[in-house]
Amino acid sequence: MKVKKLLLGFGILALASTFLVACSQQESQKVTTIEVFSQKPETKDVLQSIINDFEKDNKDIKVKFTNVPNPGEMLKSRVFVNKTPDIVHLFPINTEFKMWAKKGLFEDLSNESFMKRLKPGTADSYAIDGKEYTIPLNVNGYGFFYNATKFKELGLKEPTTYAEFKDLIKTIKAKGEVPFALSLSSADSWTLKGYGQIAWVLGNGGSSKKAQDYLRYSSLSSINPQDKIFKETLNYLDLIRENGQPNASGASYNDAITAFDTEQALILPQGIWALPAINQQNPKFEIKSFAFPGEQPGQEKIAGSADLAYSISAKSPHKKEAKRFLEYLTRPEVFQKYYDVDGSPTTIKGVKENKKFAATQGITKYAFTDQRFDWLHKDWDSADEFDSLTSNYERSGDTNQLAQQLNAFFNPMKEKDKER
């Protein structure tokens, strides 16, 4: 009888031990899911690959990678209903980022160890009230890609002044070729963001401050098509008017890239972010680039700012796991994988430049110089309507309408200034 009780006791202990071990294993295998929200469809594949590698090394974390059409509007909606993703890709010069950061929507990353991997002063440029709410991983730039093989065949050269640029366009047309691959559809008017902003800067003597003073900080309804500055700017805006491929007025971003890749046009006005999309179609010619020329050699301009930049939601229940992901992503050997696809100048120390991105060097060589200015919309409520009115002008050539639309766009901002 005692033996049976003893055996029964051992059995109960064994079962309890097994139960405790199973519970312990279950606890150790608990997986936390974090969401990474992206606004860069052109690099979604390499980001997904990096996420896959992260999950292999961090088996207790699962990453939900969100990459949707019209991500900017989707993000606004989610923020509005208090469903901000754990990790958010934002453009830190945009008004939304600044407004949300000031409202406390993002975690202060100033003292995180991975911030020390950035080149000196990089994060400071986007600090809000002395705090760093985002980690900028690279910078973008806007200029012109061109078919270098065709240029050589036709005896054409990169322009170093705006006068040379205008002559180049005339020569291209005289040789029976189409100068620009454009996307002027309303849906993809954002593709002219850089072109329009640089035109206004050059129209103001190359000064982004003067451009802001004329557009954003002038008196109500003061933008006038008879102004000297307005006319100077039209000189730059008119360069691409009626100089695109036949279907340019309704063409999308992808249509413009296809037109360039299939040699329907020789020059593509676009940001360096477009290179992966260009290369996906395997063009049969050498690609090079140049910045928007000014009146004199050495006065070239590009627009640009932080491109891939991540913030962590202050309300995320998984901040620890989110920071582990950013720590992983900012390792030089990890971000090298992203750079090798995207090619944008990176802010992370230790990432090696790749010669295969020679195609963007005509633009990127100005990325960390005073010939690059931050996107003008850093001081605006938004940029979408400005992009649309630029596209409208390129289609219609209506200067009075352009002035009216510019005043309608900037007047509400000026009214707000008066109320403060």
Side-chain angles (χ1 to χ4, degrees):
M1 188 68 176
K2 289 183 178 179
V3 173
K4 287 183 178 180
K5 287 183 177 180
L6 187 61
L7 289 173
L8 181 61
F10 280 134
I12 292 171
L13 286 172
L15 284 171
S17 176
T18 301
F19 177 76
L20 289 172
V21 169
C23 288
S24 176
Q25 289 177 341
Q26 188 175 14
E27 186 68 26
S28 66
Q29 292 171 0
K30 183 179 178 181
V31 176
T32 299
T33 299
I34 61 173
E35 182 182 7
V36 175
F37 187 95
S38 174
Q39 298 197 63
K40 287 191 66 62
E42 63 270 21
T43 55
K44 64 181 180 180
D45 291 341
V46 66
L47 283 169
Q48 183 63 66
S49 177
I50 290 172
I51 287 170
N52 294 343
D53 291 341
F54 171 78
E55 290 178 334
K56 290 176 184 176
D57 292 348
N58 298 270
K59 298 188 183 301
D60 59 327
I61 301 177
K62 175 72 176 175
V63 178
K64 177 187 176 184
F65 184 45
T66 302
N67 195 303
V68 296
N70 201 7
E73 291 304 313
M74 172 67 76
L75 184 58
K76 289 178 187 177
S77 298
R78 292 192 56 177
V79 169
F80 181 76
V81 296
N82 293 315
K83 290 187 177 180
T84 306
D86 301 291
I87 300 175
V88 186
H89 167 217
L90 287 157
F91 301 101
I93 65 160
N94 284 6
T95 304
E96 290 88 358
F97 169 76
K98 296 174 184 178
M99 176 179 66
W100 293 339
K102 288 181 178 179
K103 287 184 176 180
L105 266 66
F106 302 124
E107 186 80 354
D108 180 10
L109 304 177
S110 304
N111 296 320
E112 298 300 327
S113 60
F114 51 74
M115 298 296 284
K116 296 178 182 178
R117 292 175 177 160
L118 301 181
K119 294 174 182 177
T122 303
D124 297 344
S125 303
Y126 309 105
I128 306 292
D129 297 330
K131 295 181 179 180
E132 296 164 358
Y133 294 102
T134 188
I135 179 164
L137 303 174
N138 60 13
V139 296
N140 55 35
Y142 193 103
F144 300 90
F145 291 102
Y146 70 94
N147 183 332
T149 302
K150 199 73 173 180
F151 265 48
K152 185 176 181 180
E153 178 185 316
L154 298 176
L156 307 174
K157 294 182 179 180
E158 284 185 22
T160 61
T161 67
Y162 187 62
E164 289 180 6
F165 201 2
K166 290 196 291 185
D167 287 341
L168 171 65
I169 301 310
K170 291 178 182 177
T171 302
I172 289 174
K173 294 176 73 173
K175 291 180 179 290
E177 301 286 347
V178 175
F180 295 107
L182 302 175
S183 43
L184 302 181
S185 67
S186 298
D188 282 344
S189 60
W190 65 268
T191 60
L192 290 181
K193 187 188 306 295
Y195 190 91
Q197 292 191 21
I198 299 172
W200 280 101
V201 169
L202 291 174
N204 280 270
S207 170
S208 59
K209 182 182 182 304
K210 288 181 179 179
Q212 292 283 34
D213 288 343
Y214 181 80
L215 294 169
R216 172 68 180 82
Y217 297 111
S218 55
S219 57
L220 287 170
S221 301
S222 62
I223 300 172
N224 190 315
Q226 300 306 315
D227 291 341
K228 180 181 178 182
I229 287 174
F230 196 101
K231 292 179 178 179
E232 284 290 332
T233 302
L234 289 181
N235 177 41
Y236 296 100
L237 289 176
D238 284 342
L239 183 68
I240 63 174
R241 278 202 66 246
E242 300 180 353
N243 285 322
Q245 76 277 23
N247 64 341
S249 62
S252 68
Y253 172 59
N254 289 333
D255 292 336
I257 288 176
T258 298
F260 179 65
D261 278 346
T262 56
E263 302 190 67
Q264 296 174 48
L266 302 189
I267 304 171
L268 174 69
Q270 196 47 262
I272 59 176
W273 55 78
L275 186 61
I278 295 170
N279 286 335
Q280 281 178 0
Q281 298 192 32
N282 298 312
K284 307 301 181 184
F285 54 86
E286 182 184 9
I287 303 168
K288 289 187 177 181
S289 60
F290 58 87
F292 207 134
E295 289 303 307
Q296 301 295 328
Q299 294 180 349
E300 299 88 351
K301 288 290 180 180
I302 68 167
S305 187
D307 191 46
L308 186 69
Y310 283 115
S311 299
I312 295 176
S313 170
K315 294 183 179 180
S316 170
H318 311 303
K319 293 178 188 176
K320 182 179 178 181
E321 290 80 5
K323 289 176 182 178
R324 280 172 59 185
F325 177 78
L326 293 186
E327 187 283 323
Y328 178 84
L329 181 63
T330 54
R331 296 176 189 177
E333 67 275 15
V334 173
F335 199 74
Q336 185 74 52
K337 188 172 184 178
Y338 184 90
Y339 170 81
D340 287 345
V341 171
D342 178 71
S344 298
T346 180
T347 60
I348 297 179
K349 294 179 288 188
V351 175
K352 299 176 182 177
E353 291 188 4
N354 193 320
K355 291 182 179 179
K356 76 175 184 178
F357 296 112
T360 62
Q361 286 180 359
I363 301 169
T364 59
K365 65 183 178 181
Y366 300 109
F368 298 108
T369 73
D370 59 7
Q371 286 171 265
R372 176 191 67 81
F373 63 88
D374 282 340
W375 296 100
L376 297 181
H377 60 274
K378 67 178 182 178
D379 292 341
W380 307 346
D381 288 349
S382 70
D384 295 345
E385 192 176 337
F386 179 86
D387 300 341
S388 294
L389 61 87
T390 302
S391 182
N392 289 343
Y393 175 73
E394 297 300 351
R395 291 194 301 269
S396 71
D398 190 330
T399 57
N400 289 324
Q401 181 187 63
L402 176 61
Q404 291 169 2
Q405 291 180 339
L406 283 167
N407 282 317
F409 175 62
F410 286 108
N411 277 352
M413 301 179 215
K414 297 171 184 179
E415 290 281 9
K416 288 181 184 178
D417 291 342
K418 286 184 176 182
E419 295 171 2
R420 288 169 186 162

